[in-house]
Amino acid sequence: MSETKSLSIYAYVNGRYLEKDKASVSIYDHGFLYGDGVYEAIRAYDGIVFKLQEHIDRLCESAKSVKIELSVTKDELTGIVIEVLKKNQLKNGYVRIVLSRGAGKMGVDPRNCPEPTLVVMAEPREPLFGKEVKGIAAMLSSLRRTPSWALDPRIKTLNYLNNVLAKIEAIEAGVEEAIMLNEQGYVAETSTENIFVVKRGVIATPHTSLGILKGITRDVVIGIAKELGYPLEERELTVHELYNADEVFVTGTAAEIVPIVKISGRIIGDGKVGPVFSRIIARFRELTHSPTEGVAIG
Ligand code: PXG
């Protein structure tokens, strides 16, 4: 937090770097009016923007799916992310890229919006559930994850009400996170994390066809699990398996990797941070600081 105490915060808005107080978008922006847009959330660790290319690739895929054209190239966007971090003198921080349909007269017709809006902002941000690794409590949400036929969860859109409502449920219940099932009743993901279970040394996580975001942290953890020699299954996961797992943990850019030690009143395993999680987080810490795993701020 101390990094930016006496500094202005700068954001990129459609070609200009503006101070936070002056950075704004129109009330006619369709991102605001209709949730019509896509976004990415990225972390930088000690001067390396972790998996930046992967995040930009995912943003482009989301944008293509919802038919918004990015006004800059991937290389230019990489440069903008780096520049925003530099301007804010952040070596560790959280970056958000927002791409919306743009400002235009009211009405869902996208032809109302001649230019998309592109915003890149960055600030310091601690891991979602705290700096210190400890297990969190979660609950099964009464909400089902938006089915792929309604809005594919692989698109990281600005429509997060499904996730927000699940989070509200968790807060109301006095737990940290809500686990959503998919339409078929299989485990999907939490409000902003993918989910993994461990049983007798085998790691399992929902397959991307089961109505989840293809998380970049998820992909990293799958790589680590394989590297460490754990069998890894991407498949349908039942609630019964979740309750009876030896370990459960979630992965995401905001949370990083966090164990879940209680789900809807059931203690998971022995209720403590597990050994498989501990080995994975140790390797994750190495990778987040490795120049080969991201783009250096320079
Ligand atoms: N599922 C959902 C629904 C998400 O929104 C993840 C899984 C994990 O994906 P990554 O690629 O981050 O491993 C997400 C990520 C925020 C915020 O504050 C949201 C996410 C990540 C960071 C910040 O909106 N969602």
PDB file of all heavy atoms in Angstrom, residues 198-199 242-248 260-262 266-272 274:
ATOM      1  N   VAL A 198      -8.923 -32.480  -3.790  1.00  0.00           N
ATOM      2  CA  VAL A 198      -7.871 -33.504  -3.696  1.00  0.00           C
ATOM      3  C   VAL A 198      -8.442 -34.678  -2.919  1.00  0.00           C
ATOM      4  O   VAL A 198      -9.043 -34.482  -1.855  1.00  0.00           O
ATOM      5  CB  VAL A 198      -6.632 -32.968  -2.934  1.00  0.00           C
ATOM      6  CG1 VAL A 198      -5.504 -34.011  -2.939  1.00  0.00           C
ATOM      7  CG2 VAL A 198      -6.138 -31.645  -3.520  1.00  0.00           C
ATOM      8  N   LYS A 199      -8.296 -35.888  -3.483  1.00  0.00           N
ATOM      9  CA  LYS A 199      -8.736 -37.094  -2.776  1.00  0.00           C
ATOM     10  C   LYS A 199      -7.699 -38.191  -2.999  1.00  0.00           C
ATOM     11  O   LYS A 199      -7.448 -38.571  -4.140  1.00  0.00           O
ATOM     12  CB  LYS A 199     -10.113 -37.525  -3.298  1.00  0.00           C
ATOM     13  CG  LYS A 199     -10.720 -38.695  -2.545  1.00  0.00           C
ATOM     14  CD  LYS A 199     -11.328 -38.277  -1.213  1.00  0.00           C
ATOM     15  CE  LYS A 199     -12.056 -39.425  -0.553  1.00  0.00           C
ATOM     16  NZ  LYS A 199     -12.646 -39.032   0.749  1.00  0.00           N
ATOM     17  N   LEU A 242     -17.146 -33.043  -3.131  1.00  0.00           N
ATOM     18  CA  LEU A 242     -16.645 -31.794  -2.529  1.00  0.00           C
ATOM     19  C   LEU A 242     -16.621 -31.935  -1.003  1.00  0.00           C
ATOM     20  O   LEU A 242     -15.606 -31.666  -0.355  1.00  0.00           O
ATOM     21  CB  LEU A 242     -17.602 -30.670  -2.957  1.00  0.00           C
ATOM     22  CG  LEU A 242     -17.162 -29.241  -2.937  1.00  0.00           C
ATOM     23  CD1 LEU A 242     -15.976 -29.039  -3.860  1.00  0.00           C
ATOM     24  CD2 LEU A 242     -18.323 -28.349  -3.430  1.00  0.00           C
ATOM     25  N   TYR A 243     -17.737 -32.385  -0.445  1.00  0.00           N
ATOM     26  CA  TYR A 243     -17.835 -32.512   1.017  1.00  0.00           C
ATOM     27  C   TYR A 243     -16.828 -33.533   1.562  1.00  0.00           C
ATOM     28  O   TYR A 243     -16.353 -33.405   2.679  1.00  0.00           O
ATOM     29  CB  TYR A 243     -19.230 -32.986   1.421  1.00  0.00           C
ATOM     30  CG  TYR A 243     -20.335 -31.965   1.255  1.00  0.00           C
ATOM     31  CD1 TYR A 243     -21.652 -32.376   1.013  1.00  0.00           C
ATOM     32  CD2 TYR A 243     -20.089 -30.604   1.365  1.00  0.00           C
ATOM     33  CE1 TYR A 243     -22.686 -31.463   0.878  1.00  0.00           C
ATOM     34  CE2 TYR A 243     -21.119 -29.678   1.218  1.00  0.00           C
ATOM     35  CZ  TYR A 243     -22.410 -30.113   0.977  1.00  0.00           C
ATOM     36  OH  TYR A 243     -23.438 -29.217   0.841  1.00  0.00           O
ATOM     37  N   ASN A 244     -16.546 -34.574   0.747  1.00  0.00           N
ATOM     38  CA  ASN A 244     -15.716 -35.676   1.237  1.00  0.00           C
ATOM     39  C   ASN A 244     -14.273 -35.633   0.746  1.00  0.00           C
ATOM     40  O   ASN A 244     -13.534 -36.604   0.891  1.00  0.00           O
ATOM     41  CB  ASN A 244     -16.371 -37.016   0.853  1.00  0.00           C
ATOM     42  CG  ASN A 244     -17.620 -37.242   1.686  1.00  0.00           C
ATOM     43  OD1 ASN A 244     -17.532 -37.544   2.874  1.00  0.00           O
ATOM     44  ND2 ASN A 244     -18.776 -37.044   1.080  1.00  0.00           N
ATOM     45  N   ALA A 245     -13.882 -34.490   0.206  1.00  0.00           N
ATOM     46  CA  ALA A 245     -12.499 -34.357  -0.285  1.00  0.00           C
ATOM     47  C   ALA A 245     -11.529 -34.286   0.898  1.00  0.00           C
ATOM     48  O   ALA A 245     -11.911 -33.909   2.010  1.00  0.00           O
ATOM     49  CB  ALA A 245     -12.394 -33.102  -1.134  1.00  0.00           C
ATOM     50  N   ASP A 246     -10.276 -34.646   0.635  1.00  0.00           N
ATOM     51  CA  ASP A 246      -9.222 -34.447   1.655  1.00  0.00           C
ATOM     52  C   ASP A 246      -8.866 -32.975   1.723  1.00  0.00           C
ATOM     53  O   ASP A 246      -8.546 -32.446   2.782  1.00  0.00           O
ATOM     54  CB  ASP A 246      -7.964 -35.260   1.286  1.00  0.00           C
ATOM     55  CG  ASP A 246      -8.236 -36.756   1.266  1.00  0.00           C
ATOM     56  OD1 ASP A 246      -9.105 -37.202   2.045  1.00  0.00           O
ATOM     57  OD2 ASP A 246      -7.597 -37.457   0.458  1.00  0.00           O
ATOM     58  N   GLU A 247      -8.857 -32.329   0.538  1.00  0.00           N
ATOM     59  CA  GLU A 247      -8.549 -30.896   0.463  1.00  0.00           C
ATOM     60  C   GLU A 247      -9.404 -30.270  -0.632  1.00  0.00           C
ATOM     61  O   GLU A 247      -9.690 -30.913  -1.648  1.00  0.00           O
ATOM     62  CB  GLU A 247      -7.072 -30.663   0.065  1.00  0.00           C
ATOM     63  CG  GLU A 247      -6.054 -31.147   1.069  1.00  0.00           C
ATOM     64  CD  GLU A 247      -4.622 -30.879   0.594  1.00  0.00           C
ATOM     65  OE1 GLU A 247      -4.347 -29.787   0.049  1.00  0.00           O
ATOM     66  OE2 GLU A 247      -3.782 -31.784   0.761  1.00  0.00           O
ATOM     67  N   VAL A 248      -9.760 -29.017  -0.422  1.00  0.00           N
ATOM     68  CA  VAL A 248     -10.416 -28.227  -1.472  1.00  0.00           C
ATOM     69  C   VAL A 248      -9.673 -26.891  -1.516  1.00  0.00           C
ATOM     70  O   VAL A 248      -9.331 -26.341  -0.463  1.00  0.00           O
ATOM     71  CB  VAL A 248     -11.919 -27.982  -1.163  1.00  0.00           C
ATOM     72  CG1 VAL A 248     -12.532 -27.027  -2.191  1.00  0.00           C
ATOM     73  CG2 VAL A 248     -12.704 -29.298  -1.133  1.00  0.00           C
ATOM     74  N   ILE A 260     -10.168 -24.074   1.049  1.00  0.00           N
ATOM     75  CA  ILE A 260     -11.495 -23.998   1.677  1.00  0.00           C
ATOM     76  C   ILE A 260     -11.547 -25.134   2.697  1.00  0.00           C
ATOM     77  O   ILE A 260     -11.342 -26.300   2.353  1.00  0.00           O
ATOM     78  CB  ILE A 260     -12.617 -24.142   0.630  1.00  0.00           C
ATOM     79  CG1 ILE A 260     -12.611 -22.937  -0.305  1.00  0.00           C
ATOM     80  CG2 ILE A 260     -13.970 -24.277   1.316  1.00  0.00           C
ATOM     81  CD1 ILE A 260     -13.770 -22.879  -1.283  1.00  0.00           C
ATOM     82  N   VAL A 261     -11.790 -24.783   3.943  1.00  0.00           N
ATOM     83  CA  VAL A 261     -11.729 -25.799   5.012  1.00  0.00           C
ATOM     84  C   VAL A 261     -13.109 -26.134   5.587  1.00  0.00           C
ATOM     85  O   VAL A 261     -13.238 -27.031   6.417  1.00  0.00           O
ATOM     86  CB  VAL A 261     -10.743 -25.368   6.135  1.00  0.00           C
ATOM     87  CG1 VAL A 261      -9.315 -25.345   5.608  1.00  0.00           C
ATOM     88  CG2 VAL A 261     -11.117 -24.017   6.727  1.00  0.00           C
ATOM     89  N   LYS A 262     -14.120 -25.422   5.113  1.00  0.00           N
ATOM     90  CA  LYS A 262     -15.480 -25.709   5.573  1.00  0.00           C
ATOM     91  C   LYS A 262     -16.457 -25.351   4.457  1.00  0.00           C
ATOM     92  O   LYS A 262     -16.352 -24.273   3.878  1.00  0.00           O
ATOM     93  CB  LYS A 262     -15.764 -24.867   6.820  1.00  0.00           C
ATOM     94  CG  LYS A 262     -16.927 -25.332   7.656  1.00  0.00           C
ATOM     95  CD  LYS A 262     -16.994 -24.466   8.911  1.00  0.00           C
ATOM     96  CE  LYS A 262     -18.093 -24.915   9.826  1.00  0.00           C
ATOM     97  NZ  LYS A 262     -18.228 -23.997  10.975  1.00  0.00           N
ATOM     98  N   ARG A 266     -19.845 -28.421   6.692  1.00  0.00           N
ATOM     99  CA  ARG A 266     -19.028 -29.666   6.711  1.00  0.00           C
ATOM    100  C   ARG A 266     -17.550 -29.291   6.753  1.00  0.00           C
ATOM    101  O   ARG A 266     -17.089 -28.519   5.900  1.00  0.00           O
ATOM    102  CB  ARG A 266     -19.231 -30.515   5.452  1.00  0.00           C
ATOM    103  CG  ARG A 266     -20.492 -31.340   5.414  1.00  0.00           C
ATOM    104  CD  ARG A 266     -21.616 -30.511   4.877  1.00  0.00           C
ATOM    105  NE  ARG A 266     -22.774 -31.308   4.495  1.00  0.00           N
ATOM    106  CZ  ARG A 266     -23.948 -30.768   4.196  1.00  0.00           C
ATOM    107  NH1 ARG A 266     -24.144 -29.459   4.288  1.00  0.00           N
ATOM    108  NH2 ARG A 266     -24.951 -31.530   3.828  1.00  0.00           N
ATOM    109  N   ILE A 267     -16.827 -29.857   7.705  1.00  0.00           N
ATOM    110  CA  ILE A 267     -15.372 -29.647   7.760  1.00  0.00           C
ATOM    111  C   ILE A 267     -14.736 -30.461   6.627  1.00  0.00           C
ATOM    112  O   ILE A 267     -15.056 -31.646   6.447  1.00  0.00           O
ATOM    113  CB  ILE A 267     -14.793 -30.134   9.120  1.00  0.00           C
ATOM    114  CG1 ILE A 267     -15.465 -29.409  10.295  1.00  0.00           C
ATOM    115  CG2 ILE A 267     -13.276 -30.000   9.163  1.00  0.00           C
ATOM    116  CD1 ILE A 267     -15.094 -27.967  10.460  1.00  0.00           C
ATOM    117  N   ILE A 268     -13.859 -29.836   5.880  1.00  0.00           N
ATOM    118  CA  ILE A 268     -13.191 -30.529   4.770  1.00  0.00           C
ATOM    119  C   ILE A 268     -11.886 -31.151   5.271  1.00  0.00           C
ATOM    120  O   ILE A 268     -11.034 -30.455   5.832  1.00  0.00           O
ATOM    121  CB  ILE A 268     -12.916 -29.558   3.603  1.00  0.00           C
ATOM    122  CG1 ILE A 268     -14.212 -28.879   3.139  1.00  0.00           C
ATOM    123  CG2 ILE A 268     -12.213 -30.274   2.444  1.00  0.00           C
ATOM    124  CD1 ILE A 268     -15.367 -29.802   2.754  1.00  0.00           C
ATOM    125  N   GLY A 269     -11.745 -32.464   5.047  1.00  0.00           N
ATOM    126  CA  GLY A 269     -10.554 -33.184   5.519  1.00  0.00           C
ATOM    127  C   GLY A 269     -10.420 -33.013   7.016  1.00  0.00           C
ATOM    128  O   GLY A 269     -11.384 -33.226   7.758  1.00  0.00           O
ATOM    129  N   ASP A 270      -9.232 -32.586   7.445  1.00  0.00           N
ATOM    130  CA  ASP A 270      -9.052 -32.374   8.891  1.00  0.00           C
ATOM    131  C   ASP A 270      -9.277 -30.899   9.270  1.00  0.00           C
ATOM    132  O   ASP A 270      -8.951 -30.489  10.380  1.00  0.00           O
ATOM    133  CB  ASP A 270      -7.672 -32.874   9.352  1.00  0.00           C
ATOM    134  CG  ASP A 270      -6.522 -32.126   8.669  1.00  0.00           C
ATOM    135  OD1 ASP A 270      -6.798 -31.158   7.920  1.00  0.00           O
ATOM    136  OD2 ASP A 270      -5.356 -32.511   8.873  1.00  0.00           O
ATOM    137  N   GLY A 271      -9.778 -30.126   8.316  1.00  0.00           N
ATOM    138  CA  GLY A 271     -10.110 -28.723   8.614  1.00  0.00           C
ATOM    139  C   GLY A 271      -8.909 -27.799   8.614  1.00  0.00           C
ATOM    140  O   GLY A 271      -9.013 -26.633   8.985  1.00  0.00           O
ATOM    141  N   LYS A 272      -7.760 -28.349   8.182  1.00  0.00           N
ATOM    142  CA  LYS A 272      -6.533 -27.533   8.171  1.00  0.00           C
ATOM    143  C   LYS A 272      -6.041 -27.364   6.732  1.00  0.00           C
ATOM    144  O   LYS A 272      -6.473 -28.071   5.838  1.00  0.00           O
ATOM    145  CB  LYS A 272      -5.448 -28.215   9.002  1.00  0.00           C
ATOM    146  CG  LYS A 272      -5.809 -28.362  10.473  1.00  0.00           C
ATOM    147  CD  LYS A 272      -4.546 -28.652  11.288  1.00  0.00           C
ATOM    148  CE  LYS A 272      -4.872 -28.802  12.757  1.00  0.00           C
ATOM    149  NZ  LYS A 272      -5.312 -30.168  13.100  1.00  0.00           N
ATOM    150  N   GLY A 274      -3.989 -28.097   3.721  1.00  0.00           N
ATOM    151  CA  GLY A 274      -3.494 -29.437   3.388  1.00  0.00           C
ATOM    152  C   GLY A 274      -2.113 -29.463   2.753  1.00  0.00           C
ATOM    153  O   GLY A 274      -1.619 -28.444   2.266  1.00  0.00           O
TER     154      GLY A 274
END
